[in-house]
Amino acid sequence: MIADFSTIVARGLGIRRGGRWILRPTTFGITSGVVGLAGPPSSGRPALLETLATLRRPAVGGLELLGHDVTGPAGQRAVRVRLGLLPDRFGWAAGLTAGEFVAYAAYFKGMPRRAVDAILERFELTDAAELEMDMLPADLRLRAGLAATCVHRPDLVFLDEPLNGIAEPEREELIGLLRGLAPTVVVTAPDPAELTGWCDRVFSMARARLIESLDVSRSWSRVPAGV
Amino acid sequence: MSDLGRVLRIDARRTAPFLAVPALALLGAVAAWHALLPGVAYWDDAVAALFTSVRLLGPASAALAAWVALREHRLDYLRGLSARSPSLGPLLDLLVLGVVTLSAYTVVAAVVAVKTLIRVQAGHPQVMGLLAGALTLLVYTVIGYLAGRVVPRLLTVPAAAAVTYLWGVARPGTWTYLLPPPDVEHIRPFAGLRTELLTGQALWSLGLGTLLVTGYLSALTRRARLAVPLVAATALIAGTTLWIHGQQRAPLTPRAFEYACRQWPLTVCVHPALRTALPSLEAALTPLATRLSGTPGRFTRVEYRPDNDFPRPGHGVVYIHLRDLSPGYEHRAEQEIEISLLDARTCGDPRHAAGARYSALVSAWLLDEEPPRLGDAAAAREFGRWDEQQRRQWLRTHYGRYHSCMLRGKDFRMW
């Protein structure tokens, strides 16, 4: 279904890699909220996220994000400042502190220094800002990645397997954080079961098709996203 | 520190390309050191050595740039989704890589300059050659980086090195060796690199680098105003390529010079780039001159000549041609003079093979070499028995036969 207020509108969107379909031409719309996307990495899930984040050109079809047609450069330029993407195993460098990492991202997103301090405080990273990324435990490292991704307060965020490697006690707390990152958050996991219960909608990628799962428990989704 | 400065510092730390500077500098310096003519201090040859080092340093820089681009690809999620221009990230990378490459090149150029300076130098430093080498090296870096950006796979790193190396060593066509980096090997004294050709090569590299960078940025940003530098760079490349193609002459031009001479006891004159060889040449050639005194082959002046210039020796002047001052050059000069004493026409005639063997016996004495094994053992024994004065006296009377390889066994039965 495509609503007038959809954040993501894909019309006949198809993605190919190496001569085969990663996503066969598909039409779908995503409104605000937390949307889960399940499928193993080999299913082409990262490529779909990159395409939705305008870093990859679709093979066919049209794509609108936040009301802009992003198949052209003008639309991409307009919308990129409002997007955030955090890949699985996101890159940083040895010797870089969490604070430097977020400041680095802030520079490219055109944000002032005070925005770095604000996001570090919001994500409870002020004490860890001087620690090197390599030294951080997995949950704090994820927080630093999220802070770098969201330092410019994006309207639409894509997260590729953010909870991979996070222990159960920290998971619940981080899910609350993830839901509040932006009005629309697209989050992935290899198994749909990991997404049910806290995502408003869950899609699965199978055989190059996107299928919406109707079995979504609403325990977390009663809390609106973006708060 | 400004935000940009902080980001550049982080980029430099993050990708750690400066760690590669010593390795690149060592690689380039070793290549340049080996490319310099041994013992010869000549600025034009120093530029040729720099080009040789660029042919090796370039592929290494391209591989490094491809690897950095590969790593930077992982950060597209931060730098690509940017409020700033999408060209900022690649430009910052190229800036850091350019500084790394030029740092290594500066070290190489310094090593070459010091090696040329510590000897008595000849010619003048070719600033345009230095610039052409630097710009060519930057083009290698740009090619490697763009290859890594366009095809972000590990295989791109060795592929970038291999392809750029092949461009340096194997050129298609007959004139393409003049394109940067030019394959000029050694510049020997008497010749110099043509400054206008070096300028053309520098402009060609500048054009190619600009074309590649603006072409990539144009594809990235789709900014119409990038068409201006793109067209200008294309025109520059086309113009300089046509101009270089039209250069039918070799990249060298004759260079005026004044001989550096040593006057006593023998006058030995060489190109100033070989000035350091004067004492040892003097010492090595004086015994030969002494042995030939009183014969028609006597000489009092030795002149160093270009490779393609072979005047007939005479009137007390002999000529030598040294490719470099690698160990044994004094003896090679002696041998050249000695060979010039013999009549090539008669000595090459098989009918005078026996006489040629007797002449070889005499030549061995003249050059202080081991005497050859001779069929006529009696003649060899007799010649070996004579003292220095007897041999010189004998040579004065038999020089004509020695010169034309017509010596006979009975010529050695004098005393």
Side-chain angles (χ1 to χ4, degrees), chain A residues 57 85 93 95 104 107-108, chain B residues 11 13-14 77 82 84 222:
Chain A
R57 210 167 288 176
L85 168 67
Y104 183 80
Y107 175 79
F108 281 95
Chain B
D11 264 337
R13 263 173 58 199
R14 211 166 37 73
Y77 75 98
S82 171
R84 300 181 189 275
R222 304 198 194 168

Side-chain angles (χ1 to χ4, degrees), chain B residues 289-334:
Chain B
T290 310
R291 283 170 180 165
L292 288 168
S293 64
T295 72
R298 68 185 177 280
F299 65 91
T300 53
R301 180 181 171 91
V302 179
E303 229 175 78
Y304 173 66
R305 284 299 181 110
D307 283 353
N308 55 356
D309 186 12
F310 285 89
R312 184 185 289 274
H315 306 293
V317 184
V318 290
Y319 304 97
I320 56 172
H321 303 78
L322 292 172
R323 297 184 72 80
D324 53 47
L325 298 184
S326 55
Y329 69 89
E330 305 95 333
H331 192 63
R332 288 197 295 278
E334 274 187 287

Side-chain angles (χ1 to χ4, degrees), chain A:
Chain A
M1 185 190 74
I2 300 174
D4 288 343
F5 47 88
S6 290
T7 309
I8 302 173
V9 178
R11 289 192 172 87
L13 182 79
I15 305 169
R16 288 176 73 90
R17 187 173 60 191
R20 70 179 186 92
W21 287 105
I22 288 174
L23 179 69
R24 292 185 184 281
T26 309
T27 297
F28 61 90
I30 290 173
T31 53
S32 60
V34 180
V35 178
L37 181 63
S42 59
S43 67
R45 197 191 62 210
L48 174 59
L49 279 198
E50 284 177 10
T51 308
L52 294 178
T54 74
L55 292 178
R56 188 187 177 100
R57 210 167 288 176
V60 291
L63 180 64
E64 276 180 31
L65 298 177
L66 301 164
H68 294 274
D69 177 1
V70 294
T71 47
Q76 286 178 1
R77 268 199 297 275
V79 90
R80 277 179 173 170
V81 291
R82 298 169 64 191
L83 300 183
L85 168 67
L86 186 66
D88 180 22
R89 290 194 290 273
F90 58 96
W92 68 88
L96 205 64
T97 66
E100 286 173 329
F101 179 56
V102 177
Y104 183 80
Y107 175 79
F108 281 95
K109 293 173 189 304
M111 299 306 289
R113 180 72 212 177
R114 62 178 180 280
V116 177
D117 298 332
I119 195 105
L120 287 174
E121 193 177 334
R122 181 181 157 204
F123 284 19
E124 297 169 16
L125 281 167
T126 310
D127 294 339
E130 296 303 316
L131 296 177
E132 291 184 7
M133 290 288 286
D134 287 328
M135 310 295 286
L136 295 178
D139 62 318
L140 281 185
R141 197 182 297 155
L142 174 63
R143 281 174 186 268
L146 293 171
T149 304
C150 300
V151 66
H152 58 309
R153 293 187 171 270
D155 294 314
L156 173 57
V157 173
F158 302 95
L159 307 172
D160 196 10
E161 277 199 61
L163 299 175
N164 183 21
I166 304 291
E168 201 55 48
E170 288 88 27
R171 223 176 155 86
E172 284 293 304
E173 196 180 340
L174 280 167
I175 285 174
L177 189 66
L178 297 182
R179 287 186 59 82
L181 289 177
T184 308
V185 179
V186 178
V187 60
T188 73
D191 186 353
E194 291 182 38
L195 299 167
T196 47
W198 63 280
C199 290
D200 302 321
R201 293 170 74 185
V202 174
F203 292 87
S204 293
M205 284 187 81
R207 292 197 288 271
R209 293 187 193 283
L210 205 57
I211 303 156
E212 182 165 8
S213 167
L214 300 175
D215 180 27
V216 181
S217 165
R218 299 275 169 168
S219 58
W220 260 102
S221 58
R222 271 185 235 109
V223 182
V227 292

Side-chain angles (χ1 to χ4, degrees), chain B residues 338-376:
Chain B
E338 187 274 321
I339 288 169
S340 74
L341 299 176
L342 299 173
D343 184 339
R345 192 170 43 82
T346 52
C347 290
D349 189 336
R351 288 174 298 176
H352 298 117
R357 282 194 287 276
Y358 287 120
S359 288
L361 178 69
V362 180
S363 295
W365 162 63
L366 287 172
L367 299 174
D368 281 327
E369 289 176 355
E370 277 293 304
R373 193 177 293 275
L374 212 60
D376 185 354

Side-chain angles (χ1 to χ4, degrees), chain B residues 145-158:
Chain B
Y145 181 76
L146 295 189
R149 292 289 304 187
V150 174
V151 189
R153 295 177 196 280
L154 198 57
L155 196 64
T156 307
V157 177

